[in-house]
Amino acid sequence: MNLPQDIINILAGLAFSVGGWFARVIWVAVRDLEKDLARLREDLPRVYLPKSEAHEVINDLAHEMRENFARLFTLLDKKADK
């Protein structure tokens, strides 16, 4: 038996074992992230307002604000003690 070669073989085996374990951990983490991303893609449209609907709501709100300000300015213009 060649002792230095045995030590090198043992160290190489340990290094490859640790490297394989680390690669497996990374692989599992990536799979979990892919599952979370898929779940997020399904849940987002149900939870948050789509962009097109948000634009509609903002436009409706802006229109309503313009009408209210116009009414307010009309009332201020009609005020007797200006």
Side-chain angles (χ1 to χ4, degrees):
M1 297 223 323
N2 192 359
L3 188 60
Q5 185 63 42
D6 290 340
I7 291 174
I8 291 173
N9 288 344
I10 289 172
L11 290 177
L14 286 174
F16 283 121
S17 295
V18 169
W21 170 80
F22 185 71
R24 183 181 178 278
V25 168
I26 296 295
W27 182 262
V28 170
V30 168
R31 290 292 170 206
D32 290 343
L33 285 174
E34 287 174 350
K35 289 178 187 175
D36 289 344
L37 185 60
R39 193 174 323 117
L40 184 64
R41 283 183 183 148
E42 292 175 6
D43 291 343
L44 276 179
R46 284 187 240 139
V47 175
Y48 294 103
L49 189 65
K51 190 175 182 179
S52 60
E53 290 182 26
H55 285 299
E56 291 175 12
V57 169
I58 291 170
N59 288 336
D60 291 344
L61 182 62
H63 180 70
E64 184 178 340
M65 287 176 62
R66 281 190 207 103
E67 287 178 352
N68 287 336
F69 279 125
R71 195 178 78 211
L72 179 66
F73 290 140
T74 303
L75 290 174
L76 286 174
D77 289 339
K78 291 179 184 178
K79 190 173 177 190
D81 64 342
K82 353 182 209 182

